Structures are given as structure tokens and as C-alpha cells.
Amino acid sequence: MTAAPRPVDVLVIGGGQAGLAAGYYLRRAKTDFVLLDAQDSAGGAWRHAWNSLRLFSPAQYSSLPGRMMPIPPGGGYPSAAEVVTYLTDYERRYDLPVLRPVTVHAVRRGDGHLLVETGHGTWQAKAVISATGTWWRPYIPYYPGLRDFGGEHLHTAGYRGPEPLRGKRVVIVGGGNSAAQLLAELTTLAEVTWVTQRPPRLLPDDIDGRALFDLATRRHRATQAGEQAGEQAGEPTAGIADLGDIVAVPPVREARDHGLLKAEPMFTRITSRGVAWADGSTLACDVILWCTGFRPALNHLAPLGLRGPDGLIPTRGTQAIGEPRLHLLGYGDWTGPASATLIGAGRTARQLVAEIVAQLQ
């Protein structure tokens, strides 16, 4: 016999930074809730990041609600390992009800509730917060010859450190932060070529995650107020893209100052031995390192049939327009200003939980 679904008022899918931020406010609201996490320990996607990865903001601007992230010894930006330690402590400090490892396979509509099917039985929830992030869906764009390449395709999601690439010929693809950081790390021990769709642009040295969050928030508020995204109260508001693409963290700044941040135009196809451009020039390489981003991990929500033509779920704030019992948190600006960051997830979670509590009354 199949066990009856376990009832709960609010079910949170994902135990990373967004899920924990939601859990903090659900705990404060004294709501009946549970968090399901597919990982076997705390820390979310930060557990899988490369060793040298650091935040773009100081600890005091990278904290979840209620507890500040400890400032690293000697100051500077926290490392991925320090973020894992912080999230582990945060979960324990607020006694958040995280069950792991539990993989959610599907969310379906029930009679007045949502059914959440997992590898450990089914839950019945009045509201669901999906906070699975993007790390689990690395994106590699298609280029002719992609499958013909005889070398290694490596995405940032699988990169752990520079040593396995020592002495190899590496083509780094992408014009964002990850590409610039890994270029700075690899140039001393590998033969590296950087290719981008457009010339890479570094943000001014005094711009870090704090300023980026403020910009994202201002754009979001302007849009909500019905104003054009680039203007507020008649005063120009520079968007992030107007300033640049890459945060000049110390290793990137050092590489820039040594003249190493030089990029080639994007290739047009991939050969069995490397990459090729439209003018007929070619470059042999051993590894193509794709720093090309991620897509939202939403497969568990497929049974609800909510995705739009762009692959995203249309939302009003964090609430799914086609299913008001579902909220999405931590996937990017479309689910709250900078909600894929530590500070952004926390600020968005507060409003999200307030809406859910009102919904349940």
C-alpha cells in the first residue's frame, strides 16, 4: 500500500542559501514547514565550487538575515569554504527542519494543495517554495562541431582547481566573472586563450557586490513603479550592464595590471582538434573551459505546466502566476532583485514569507 502524503503548511525545496533564508522567516512566523535538500550535508552549491572562488562582497554585505557572516582572518572577501561553514552554522543556529538527502521528483496539483513527490514519499503542502537554484543545470551553448571535439569539454560547474590543467592548451569561453577569475588563475601554468562574444569590460575597482545589489534593487523598484528600467524620478540610473561585466576582485585586478586580460573574438565552430573562426584561422587545444552560466533547475515543476516560451515560469514577484500556491526564490532577478546572491535571497525571502503567511490565514 502507498503511504498517505505527509501534510505540512509550507514545503521548501532546496537547502542552500535561498532555502535557508526562507526557513529563517518561516521559523520567525511560527509556521509549520519543512525543507527538503537533495545534498547530503549543508552548504548548497557552495560545496561544489572551485577552491579559489571568493565572494564579490565583504562578509557584512553577504549575510543571510539574523546572523552576520564572520569576517575572514585578515579581512577580504570570504571563500567558498567559508560560506559553507557559515551556512552550516546558520542552519544549526536556527534549528531549521532540513531533511536530507531527499530528492524531489515532481510537484503536482492536488485537491486544494500541492503534492510533492520525493524519493522518500510524498508530501502534501498548502504552499511550496522552490529554491533549487541554477548550479545543477550548467549551460553549454551549441556550436557546429561541438560533439566532434577530441579534447575535454569542461564547465565551471566541474572545475575544482588549476592543477589538472597544468601544461595544457585551454580555451576559456565566456565574458563574465567566472571566466575572468579562472583566466587569472590558469595563466601561470597553462597555455590559455580567452574568447568572448564582445570585448570584456571590468567594473570600476570600487564597484563590488554591494553596489551591484543596490543597482538591481533600484531597477526592480523602477520597473514595479511602471517606470523605464533605466530611469527613476527623472534621474539616470545606470544599469549593471552600463558599468561593465566583471567585478575586479584582487586576482582579476592583478591579471589586468599585468596585461593578461586579453580576449579574442568568439569562434564560429569547433573542430576535432580545437576551435575555428570565420576567417579560416584555427587554434588547437586540449580543453574548452565553458564559463557560460547556468539555467534554472526547474524540472521538478514540469508537471504543473507553468513554463513560458523563454523556459522560465512567469511570476508576479515570487509567486507563480499560473499556480498561486507556488513561490520561486533564488533564481535571479526575475524572482527578486539579485535573489541568486546571499543578501538578495535574504531580502526577497522576507516579503515572500509574509505573502505566504497572509495566504494561509
Side-chain angles (χ1 to χ4, degrees):
M1 294 180 62
T2 303
R6 286 168 281 185
V8 66
D9 283 347
V10 183
L11 187 143
V12 182
I13 305 172
Q17 60 197 33
L20 297 186
Y24 171 84
Y25 285 112
L26 288 166
R27 175 68 82 200
R28 285 186 59 182
K30 299 181 180 177
T31 305
D32 172 36
F33 74 101
V34 67
L35 290 92
L36 305 182
D37 187 24
Q39 303 299 295
D40 56 14
S41 60
W46 293 100
R47 294 177 53 230
H48 306 279
W50 60 93
N51 298 333
S52 63
L53 177 64
R54 291 188 173 273
L55 298 182
F56 297 146
S57 303
Q60 59 268 38
Y61 292 95
S62 303
S63 301
L64 293 178
R67 182 163 178 78
M68 185 172 291
M69 184 182 297
I71 297 174
Y77 299 123
S79 67
E82 286 165 332
V83 176
V84 171
T85 299
Y86 167 70
L87 295 178
T88 302
D89 174 72
Y90 188 92
E91 183 180 312
R92 187 182 305 117
R93 178 181 179 85
Y94 293 109
D95 192 26
L96 299 179
V98 184
L99 302 181
R100 60 167 58 94
V102 178
T103 300
V104 172
H105 298 303
V107 178
R108 306 181 190 275
R109 292 180 179 88
D111 185 9
H113 52 257
L114 292 174
L115 292 172
V116 181
E117 299 172 0
T118 81
H120 293 74
T122 300
W123 291 80
Q124 174 182 305
K126 297 176 183 176
V128 169
I129 300 172
S130 183
T132 49
T134 63
W135 184 264
W136 321 112
R137 282 198 64 205
Y139 172 68
I140 295 179
Y142 174 78
Y143 282 89
L146 181 72
R147 295 177 179 82
D148 298 330
F149 182 52
E152 178 186 3
H153 287 293
L154 179 63
H155 191 276
T156 46
Y159 178 86
R160 292 294 175 268
E163 278 304 319
L165 301 182
R166 178 179 290 276
K168 294 186 177 181
R169 298 166 299 176
V170 181
V171 172
I172 297 179
V173 183
N177 290 295
S178 297
Q181 284 194 37
L182 297 188
L183 174 72
E185 180 164 279
L186 289 169
T187 47
T188 60
L189 52 79
E191 184 181 325
V192 181
T193 301
W194 187 16
V195 296
T196 60
Q197 292 281 5
R198 64 181 185 184
R201 301 178 304 159
L202 266 66
L203 290 156
D205 287 0
D206 60 341
I207 298 291
D208 62 11
R210 292 169 291 184
L212 297 180
F213 177 78
D214 289 341
L215 281 170
T217 301
R218 289 165 67 187
R219 286 181 64 192
H220 180 74
R221 288 174 178 168
T223 302
Q224 282 189 320
E227 300 171 5
Q228 202 166 11
E231 298 181 2
Q232 189 168 17
E235 184 177 324
T237 304
I240 294 171
D242 297 321
L243 297 176
D245 306 309
I246 299 166
V247 178
V249 293
V252 172
R253 204 175 304 168
E254 183 178 349
R256 176 201 63 194
D257 294 344
H258 283 85
L260 300 176
L261 295 185
K262 296 179 180 178
E264 300 294 332
M266 192 65 205
F267 52 76
T268 55
R269 62 187 177 90
I270 299 172
T271 70
S272 61
R273 299 182 59 232
V275 297
W277 285 264
D279 63 3
S281 59
T282 62
L283 177 70
C285 64
D286 304 302
V287 179
I288 301 177
L289 177 51
W290 298 93
C291 301
T292 45
F294 300 80
R295 296 292 183 264
L298 301 174
N299 287 346
H300 57 293
L301 302 177
L304 298 175
L306 299 172
R307 289 202 195 195
D310 60 357
L312 304 181
I313 294 175
T315 59
R316 184 178 296 107
T318 62
Q319 188 177 46
I321 293 174
E323 176 47 74
R325 293 167 293 194
L326 173 68
H327 287 254
L328 296 103
L329 176 64
Y331 296 98
D333 288 348
W334 63 286
T335 56
S339 70
T341 67
L342 283 153
I343 188 172
R347 294 186 183 182
T348 303
R350 181 177 184 176
Q351 179 63 32
L352 179 158
V353 170
E355 292 174 6
I356 287 179
V357 170
Q359 205 177 348
L360 295 177
Q361 291 177 347

